[in-house]
Structures are given as structure tokens and as C-alpha cells.
């Protein structure tokens, strides 16, 4: 994803996230209002990682991220499925280079 195509507020958030990661931190958070383009930030950050998991509240949000990010190699799961996996002692969120918790 071309970061120059991001709106200014999303480009600034992307740059801060990447700076944070480049400083050695492993966690980052972007807090923007609904509908401001967080999916585009996910796409821009994801371009720097190989194995990616996006966790979202429902399939509608997953579909929104999928249509924005346009990568077939990203795994998606809902919070409910993640909790069910944990209850069943499955480890569905292991081995990823980047895990995104959306909304």
C-alpha cells in the first residue's frame, strides 16, 4: 500500500506506529473514530510483516478490512472464535509476526 495515498491523519498514525516498532517496541495502538480509515493503516503496517492475524468483532468488520487491505495471505478471526479456541485449549493466535486487534 502506498502510504502517500493515506489521508494525513492516517499517514501520521502509520508513521508513529512504524517508528514505535523500529524503536524495539512490540505493541502499538491507534485510536481513531469509526469510519476514519483505520483499515488503511492496517494495510500500510501489514506491508512490513509476513504472517499476519487480524482479530475483529464480527465478519462484517473482517470483510471491511479484507476489502481495504487486498492481501490474500492474512488470516482473520473473530473475538468469539479466538475465545472459543482458548476455551478448547487451541492456540489460534500463535506464530504470527503481527496481530491486529480491530475495534
Amino acid at each position: 500500500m502506498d502510504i502517500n495515498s493515506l489521508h494525513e491523519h492516517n499517514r501520521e498514525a502509520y508513521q508513529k506506529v512504524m517508528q514505535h516498532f523500529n524503536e524495539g517496541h512490540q505493541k502499538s495502538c491507534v485510536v481513531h473514530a469509526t469510519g476514519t480509515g483505520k483499515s488503511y493503516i492496517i494495510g500500510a503496517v501489514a506491508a512490513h510483516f509476513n504472517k499476519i492475524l487480524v482479530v475483529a468483532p464480527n465478519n462484517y468488520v473482517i470483510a471491511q478490512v479484507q476489502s481495504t487491505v487486498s492481501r490474500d495471505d492474512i488470516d482473520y478471526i473473530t473475538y468469539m472464535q479466538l475465545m472459543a479456541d482458548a476455551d478448547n485449549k487451541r492456540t489460534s493466535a500463535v506464530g504470527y509476526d503481527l496481530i491486529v486487534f480491530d475495534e
Side-chain angles (χ1 to χ4, degrees):
M1 171 171 286
D2 178 20
I3 64 162
N4 294 319
S5 66
L6 296 175
H7 289 293
E8 181 61 31
H9 66 281
N10 289 333
R11 187 171 39 253
E12 182 179 333
Y14 160 79
Q15 289 168 339
K16 287 181 179 181
V17 167
M18 293 311 300
Q19 177 183 354
H20 198 66
F21 285 157
N22 290 334
E23 291 172 352
H25 301 282
Q26 294 185 357
K27 298 175 186 173
S28 186
C29 179
V30 174
V31 180
H32 284 181
T34 301
T36 58
K38 291 180 298 292
S39 295
Y40 292 99
I41 300 169
I42 292 170
V45 171
H48 299 275
F49 295 89
N50 294 317
K51 191 159 170 59
I52 302 156
L53 175 67
V54 174
V55 185
N58 54 52
N59 289 326
Y60 176 76
V61 174
I62 287 174
Q64 284 183 314
V65 175
Q66 285 175 321
S67 69
T68 303
V69 175
S70 303
R71 275 183 60 179
D72 294 331
D73 60 343
I74 296 177
D75 294 330
Y76 295 88
I77 191 170
T78 64
Y79 287 104
M80 291 299 290
Q81 184 60 51
L82 186 63
M83 290 177 6
D85 288 354
D87 287 345
N88 292 321
K89 309 262 189 290
R90 286 183 264 159
T91 54
S92 56
V94 173
Y96 289 92
D97 300 323
L98 176 69
I99 300 176
V100 176
F101 295 97
D102 195 4
E103 299 279 330

